[in-house]
Amino acid sequence: MKITINDIAKMANVSKATVSRVINNKEEGVSEETRKKILKIIDEVGYVPNSNARSITVSETKTIGLVIPDVRNLFFAELARGVEDCSSEHGYTVFLCNSDMDNYKQKIYLNALLEKRVDGIILDTSGDFKDKKFKNKFYKIDIPVILIDRKAKDLEKYKGVFIDNVEAGYKATKYLLSGGYENVAYIGGTYGIDTTMKRFEGYKKAIEEAGIELNPSYVVYGDYSIKSGHENTLSLIKKHREIKGIFAGSDIIAIGVIQALKEMNILVPDEIEVVGIDNISVSQLITPSLTTVAQPIYKIGYRACKKLINYINHKFDDGDEYLSTELIVRDSTRKRI
Amino acid sequence: MKITINDIAKMANVSKATVSRVINNKEEGVSEETRKKILKIIDEVGYVPNSNARSITVSETKTIGLVIPDVRNLFFAELARGVEDCSSEHGYTVFLCNSDMDNYKQKIYLNALLEKRVDGIILDTSGDFKDKKFKNKFYKIDIPVILIDRKAKDLEKYKGVFIDNVEAGYKATKYLLSGGYENVAYIGGTYGIDTTMKRFEGYKKAIEEAGIELNPSYVVYGDYSIKSGHENTLSLIKKHREIKGIFAGSDIIAIGVIQALKEMNILVPDEIEVVGIDNISVSQLITPSLTTVAQPIYKIGYRACKKLINYINHKFDDGDEYLSTELIVRDSTRKRI
DNA sequence: GTGAAAGCGCTAACAG
DNA sequence: CTGTTAGCGCTTTCAC
């Protein structure tokens, strides 16, 4: 039924070696005449070479795996698009995997990607490998991996593309502090993971630098969801009406924060100011629009993919890459003079 | 370097046929003893079967291709997640392709998917095939294809999962009309494509049913972007201040509409009411929150994938599928009594 | 410039 | 229960 290189060879009265040369655009080794003849037949019968068969002999698949928590989150969607653009520019196709921050799912996906013999993997990790046996196996395979967004201890051997999360947290907190008050809270995402804790460090640094004593009850964690931001704000502000500024661990969290504040009839920014991190596209659509520390999200994905492809091609491109962030002031904070 | 089924066979002192039986979980044909022995070795050396090699002999790859305009659009991200969830539940991995509504890109991607021998394709089409030669080739290949969201003439032979766009447009317009005024505009997306025109039909139906004469200058087109909604609103309202209600061709367009109205200091919903289509997640986050005709977006993706997998497995599952929509009333329209 | 042959890693009869 | 053999569709020497 399916038509193969053999069929084309027979129809053209040549060997399949010659057809192979033609479909792979080998400059030499085929006369213009036979090349044309073969191309014509391929076109007429609608032959499509089987890249899987090819891949088993050349041991490269021109595919890459992308593992992110959830495409529905604008942040990861933007990241995914950056990856996909770069990869398609270089002739690669990408497998999309949604891990939901679930270590088990992540393992399943990584395994599937290995079986599919992807040339490399871009990983926004859900943390360390819980399954240490799998970790060893994965290590041994020694497939090119580029990290994005988050690091993890188990993945130290891999390089990646990130932002400086300490700096981002510092910038956000410092800007809040510049409002002339001291009571600034940090409503963070998932406790323990790289980004969350680094942003906390930045928060802490800014607080201490301002000569303020860090109040532990002003620091709470949850996860990276609207709901989490919402709930944490409700309970935090109920206890601490003196809080004047909230540094939200991400824009998504910040949206939940603002929602909660509205429900409590607290005015943003007049009574409480809010700053997020990410600058996802909705940040400017909500009311009040969100002041945030912008990440070059698309670029992170794009660069990570570029880095991966270099890696695959054994091009020297060492070390982690840190892309710069930028504070974007909108309406969830008051005007500074 | 890479370890193969042969290596395992040698280490276990069995033939590769036996190893093959084990890795494919064939119940019969292997004694418990040898099975254990082989499994142990596989585990120890970290062997991962090469599914590409497998796929060339069994002629199925357990992969599917997903072609959408752009994952960064929340609508398509949600769709993609539905597809991915269903596919991973059934052991498939999905290739993500962003066509940007560009027919040429779409062709390139479809071709890549064919070369990769995906078992099937889920296609949110950018319209008809401009390249008729490719169309013929694609047809001849006869790969399972399920359409989502949009239809196109060239793709009539394929079934899909949709909503009733005429009905959706009708619902939206009728609700606006129930506000007690007649001047309702339609700010549509890309002219000519399936969804846009069907929604117009629904608009028209509601208008005519109310005994109003359709005013052609109240109907404008652009594309499915915030910018398009924004610009079209500016120029439309400048000319027609008498408009009291706007039916936006999608939520994304509606966001642009509301932005423009704010800029013009026109109150929503007091002076002009706005209704969208989709119910993407941001619709409830913006101010005013958006009244919209909700599509079961995730479900469309999920169902489409299920349908595709049935198709792949030759399960009888004929005809198009239409999922139901629901008007969700929020704050971009006034209270009805 | 072209073809024959071997082999990539795996599965699928068919024998024993 | 297990091994042998013959491919799957393609690339890659190595001759001619």
Side-chain angles (χ1 to χ4, degrees), chain A residues 217-231:
Chain A
S217 58
Y218 283 4
V219 177
V220 295
Y221 299 96
D223 58 47
Y224 287 95
S225 70
I226 294 180
K227 189 159 167 259
S228 171
H230 183 266
E231 288 170 358

Side-chain angles (χ1 to χ4, degrees), chain A residues 272-336:
Chain A
I272 294 184
E273 297 191 318
V274 180
V275 175
I277 287 193
D278 283 349
N279 193 35
I280 56 177
S281 58
V282 284
S283 305
Q284 53 184 319
L285 299 179
I286 59 171
T287 308
S289 60
L290 187 66
T291 294
T292 191
V293 179
Q295 295 202 47
I297 314 178
Y298 177 90
K299 203 172 158 195
I300 293 175
Y302 194 93
R303 277 299 312 161
C305 186
K306 188 89 185 175
K307 207 174 170 71
L308 181 64
I309 291 172
N310 282 341
Y311 190 166
I312 291 169
N313 297 319
H314 311 290
K315 293 227 185 88
F316 183 65
D317 173 9
D318 211 12
D320 288 332
E321 207 164 310
Y322 286 88
L323 271 32
S324 58
T325 58
E326 185 194 358
L327 181 78
I328 296 187
V329 177
R330 297 206 185 88
D331 301 335
S332 64
T333 48
R334 276 175 271 121
K335 293 272 170 292
R336 301 290 189 262

Side-chain angles (χ1 to χ4, degrees), chain A residues 3 8 11 19 22-23 35-49, chain B residues 137 140:
Chain A
I3 129 157
I8 303 294
M11 299 171 95
V19 178
V22 171
I23 60 185
R35 183 185 300 273
K36 282 225 179 84
K37 180 173 63 177
I38 292 172
L39 249 17
K40 182 151 173 281
I41 294 178
I42 287 179
D43 192 58
E44 281 170 7
V45 302
Y47 165 64
V48 180
Chain B
K137 174 175 162 186
K140 208 165 355 182

Side-chain angles (χ1 to χ4, degrees), chain B residues 81-91 301-302 305-306 309:
Chain B
R81 186 66 210 264
V83 170
E84 210 272 295
D85 279 2
C86 178
S87 79
S88 70
E89 279 166 22
H90 294 265
Y302 194 95
C305 185
K306 188 90 184 174
I309 291 171

Side-chain angles (χ1 to χ4, degrees), chain B residues 246-262:
Chain B
I246 295 177
F247 163 37
S250 80
D251 284 2
I252 289 287
I253 293 175
I255 288 171
V257 169
I258 291 177
Q259 273 184 355
L261 259 18
K262 274 188 192 168

Side-chain angles (χ1 to χ4, degrees), chain B residues 274-294:
Chain B
V274 179
V275 175
I277 288 192
D278 282 349
N279 194 34
I280 55 177
S281 58
V282 285
S283 306
Q284 53 184 317
L285 300 179
I286 60 171
T287 310
S289 60
L290 188 66
T291 294
T292 189
V293 179

